[in-house]
Amino acid sequence: MNTPGYKTHISSQFNAELEDVRQRVLAMGGLVEQQIIDATRALMDADHALGQEVMRADAKVNQLEVYIDEECSRILARRQPTASDLRLVYAVIKTITDLERIGDESNKIARMASDLSHQERFSDGMVEVQHLSRHVSQMVHDALDAFARMDAETALAVAREDQQIDREYEALLRQCITFMMEDPRTIRRVMDIIWSVRALERIGDHAKNIAEYVIYFVKGKDVRHLPLEDVERQVKESS
Amino acid sequence: MNTPGYKTHISSQFNAELEDVRQRVLAMGGLVEQQIIDATRALMDADHALGQEVMRADAKVNQLEVYIDEECSRILARRQPTASDLRLVYAVIKTITDLERIGDESNKIARMASDLSHQERFSDGMVEVQHLSRHVSQMVHDALDAFARMDAETALAVAREDQQIDREYEALLRQCITFMMEDPRTIRRVMDIIWSVRALERIGDHAKNIAEYVIYFVKGKDVRHLPLEDVERQVKESS
């Protein structure tokens, strides 16, 4: 294992176990990343079948969550890790909860897509939804990249992006409300869009959480609930 | 420590540490329970000051989350717990994430309350919102009670309640959409109510998650993502 920040263990079996867990987290991350992309495409194209596929993928994501939690619990019991190994296991335990919830949020978008596919297609504002979705899936990709390389700088950039996501989300929400007020017949359909946009915003929050666990692993500091400037200081200070 | 299911340790210091963590989780739980009640009252009464108080309480909830995570990490490193001790620590690590997010959701409701307080008061449908809020805070209370006594039966009842919450939520949502369609001038205000109702539904999900960790601790089985009937079987089977 050449990832910087990892110790090499006398027990190569222990090394292999940690590496296996790490790889499974990345596999789980790859699945949820694809879920976001597919769910948004299903929403854009009112593609019922693709929406259904996203929902099926969620079962795999859930299985991985349960499997990785079991593995972490087994490693804690048998290997009794300390220092950076313990921080890695801790970061994994927290990260997979967020990955699973990203899967849940994508699932919600997929359900909206299946609903909308029975209705008239809706194109107003959809370009902006797609834009937000691309932005959010890039953020998840970067958070996973930060996790893969245990890179605090990339993680910090993800935490920064979340502020931009929140601004895009607010703007889209205002636009949706204006649509509804101008043409109340669209209310039901626009509500489905609003739930999807909200789900994307939540995914951004989860990506940010993952980024914070990476910073915790690398710097040994819990930066949750700190203002962004303080997180920036923590990342720069001890490097 | 007389709670059933706990081992007594040779090290009374270790006992004290586990008991301290358990008490802090319950304290954190008490805070978020109060947050839900206060946030809903602030929403009902359009009480700006109470809304602000909920937001201040959130800082304490966040501090407790960080503190308990540190403690758990320290216990894992120094005490290297196994079997039911390890399951307790694991359940705590997962539970506090959900408690913190219940705090976040209450915070959102409090923010809506502060927004609404600048506007005309809105009474339609508010009785139902209050009813949902009572139901949800009772569910959180029961989940914490299940945690305090490590009681799988109470936890199972909480998991069952979540289905009822989801039905109440869906009904309230339909009602809100009807309001908006009948009188589009209410759209902005009703959207604030919708976000609050959604937050309450999410709190129900988090309470259910906590219940599942209790079942995991007591039965040693991970029941997440299982259909309710399977959870019921797991709880009854091994008791």
Side-chain angles (χ1 to χ4, degrees):
Chain A
M1 190 156 43
N2 296 318
T3 316
Y6 287 118
K7 292 192 302 195
T8 333
H9 297 100
I10 296 163
S11 158
S12 66
Q13 181 58 28
F14 183 18
N15 268 344
E17 285 170 13
L18 286 179
E19 181 58 17
D20 177 61
V21 160
R22 218 175 64 89
Q23 289 300 332
R24 303 254 182 185
V25 173
L26 294 175
M28 189 178 169
L31 280 176
V32 304
E33 226 186 292
Q34 194 59 45
Q35 269 187 303
I36 307 167
I37 293 165
D38 288 348
T40 309
R41 195 184 310 149
L43 189 71
M44 295 300 120
D45 302 346
D47 184 338
H48 182 74
L50 189 57
Q52 296 288 314
E53 207 172 289
V54 173
M55 292 188 239
R56 273 195 299 276
D58 208 41
K60 278 188 218 156
V61 170
N62 293 345
Q63 276 165 17
L64 267 168
E65 184 196 24
V66 170
Y67 176 89
I68 296 168
D69 260 326
E70 268 172 21
E71 274 304 294
C72 286
S73 166
R74 229 175 46 80
I75 289 173
L76 288 172
R78 289 207 201 162
R79 302 293 179 179
Q80 314 195 316
T82 57
S84 75
D85 295 330
L86 177 58
R87 286 208 308 281
L88 176 65
V89 175
Y90 218 98
V92 166
I93 294 172
K94 295 282 185 185
T95 293
I96 58 175
T97 302
D98 284 284
L99 286 177
E100 192 270 334
R101 287 176 193 171
I102 293 175
D104 280 351
E105 298 294 341
S106 302
N107 226 14
K108 284 178 204 165
I109 299 173
R111 216 159 40 225
M112 299 302 154
S114 291
D115 279 7
L116 282 172
S117 70
H118 300 300
Q119 301 173 24
E120 195 187 331
R121 275 189 64 177
F122 190 80
S123 51
D124 290 326
M126 284 309 226
V127 176
E128 288 87 345
V129 175
Q130 190 150 31
H131 184 262
L132 179 65
S133 169
R134 281 216 193 94
H135 198 165
V136 163
S137 46
Q138 184 63 45
M139 218 179 129
V140 172
H141 183 87
D142 292 345
L144 289 165
D145 184 42
F147 181 90
R149 297 185 290 113
M150 284 302 170
D151 174 350
E153 289 287 342
T154 304
L156 178 61
V158 171
R160 264 194 219 109
E161 277 308 295
D162 193 44
Q163 297 195 325
Q164 181 56 31
I165 296 287
D166 288 350
R167 277 191 292 268
E168 286 176 31
Y169 162 74
E170 294 291 345
L172 246 168
L173 203 59
R174 276 194 299 273
Q175 196 179 333
C176 285
I177 289 174
T178 305
F179 277 146
M180 293 197 289
M181 294 178 82
E182 283 173 357
D183 184 359
R185 289 167 306 170
T186 63
I187 287 178
R188 275 184 215 285
R189 274 179 303 159
V190 176
M191 278 309 297
D192 279 347
I193 304 298
I194 286 181
W195 293 130
S196 302
V197 168
R198 173 69 152 209
L200 289 172
E201 186 268 337
R202 294 294 298 138
I203 292 174
D205 288 343
H206 291 297
K208 182 182 171 225
N209 292 342
I210 295 172
E212 288 172 344
Y213 307 138
V214 171
I215 295 172
Y216 162 76
F217 171 79
V218 178
K219 302 291 176 185
K221 297 231 173 88
D222 192 335
V223 295
R224 291 176 299 184
H225 316 302
L226 293 182
L228 190 60
E229 314 82 75
D230 292 355
V231 180
E232 281 170 351
R233 203 173 313 120
Q234 293 281 4
V235 170
K236 309 243 177 280
E237 237 173 36
S238 37
S239 56
Chain B
M1 190 156 42
N2 296 319
T3 316
Y6 287 118
K7 291 192 303 198
T8 333
H9 297 99
I10 297 164
S11 158
S12 66
Q13 181 58 28
F14 183 16
N15 268 344
E17 285 171 13
L18 285 180
E19 182 57 19
D20 177 62
V21 160
R22 218 176 63 88
Q23 289 302 332
R24 302 254 182 184
V25 173
L26 293 175
M28 191 178 168
L31 280 177
V32 304
E33 226 186 292
Q34 194 58 46
Q35 269 187 305
I36 306 168
I37 294 165
D38 289 348
T40 309
R41 195 186 308 152
L43 189 70
M44 295 301 119
D45 303 344
D47 184 339
H48 182 75
L50 189 57
Q52 297 286 315
E53 206 173 289
V54 173
M55 292 189 241
R56 273 194 299 276
D58 209 42
K60 278 188 219 155
V61 170
N62 293 345
Q63 275 165 17
L64 268 168
E65 183 195 24
V66 170
Y67 176 87
I68 296 168
D69 259 326
E70 266 172 22
E71 273 306 292
C72 286
S73 165
R74 230 175 45 80
I75 289 174
L76 288 172
R78 289 207 201 162
R79 302 292 179 182
Q80 313 194 317
T82 58
S84 74
D85 295 330
L86 178 56
R87 286 209 307 282
L88 176 65
V89 175
Y90 218 98
V92 167
I93 294 171
K94 295 284 185 184
T95 293
I96 57 175
T97 303
D98 285 283
L99 286 177
E100 190 271 332
R101 287 176 195 171
I102 292 175
D104 280 351
E105 298 294 341
S106 303
N107 226 15
K108 283 178 204 165
I109 299 172
R111 215 157 43 223
M112 298 303 155
S114 292
D115 278 8
L116 283 171
S117 70
H118 300 299
Q119 302 174 24
E120 194 188 330
R121 272 190 66 175
F122 190 78
S123 53
D124 291 326
M126 283 311 226
V127 177
E128 289 87 345
V129 175
Q130 191 150 29
H131 184 261
L132 180 66
S133 169
R134 280 215 193 95
H135 197 165
V136 164
S137 45
Q138 185 61 46
M139 217 180 130
V140 172
H141 183 87
D142 293 345
L144 289 164
D145 183 43
F147 181 90
R149 299 186 290 113
M150 284 302 169
D151 175 349
E153 290 287 340
T154 304
L156 179 61
V158 171
R160 264 193 218 110
E161 277 307 294
D162 193 44
Q163 296 196 328
Q164 182 56 29
I165 296 287
D166 288 350
R167 277 191 291 268
E168 286 175 32
Y169 162 73
E170 293 291 345
L172 246 170
L173 202 60
R174 275 194 300 273
Q175 197 180 331
C176 286
I177 289 174
T178 306
F179 278 144
M180 292 197 290
M181 292 177 83
E182 282 172 357
D183 184 359
R185 288 167 307 171
T186 63
I187 287 178
R188 274 183 217 284
R189 274 181 301 159
V190 176
M191 279 308 299
D192 279 347
I193 305 297
I194 287 181
W195 293 130
S196 301
V197 168
R198 172 70 151 209
L200 290 171
E201 185 267 339
R202 294 294 298 140
I203 291 174
D205 289 342
H206 290 298
K208 182 182 172 226
N209 293 342
I210 294 171
E212 289 172 345
Y213 307 138
V214 171
I215 297 174
Y216 162 77
F217 171 78
V218 179
K219 302 292 176 183
K221 297 233 172 87
D222 192 336
V223 297
R224 291 175 299 183
H225 316 305
L226 292 182
L228 191 60
E229 313 84 73
D230 293 355
V231 180
E232 282 170 350
R233 203 172 313 122
Q234 294 280 3
V235 170
K236 308 247 178 277
E237 238 173 35
S238 37
S239 57

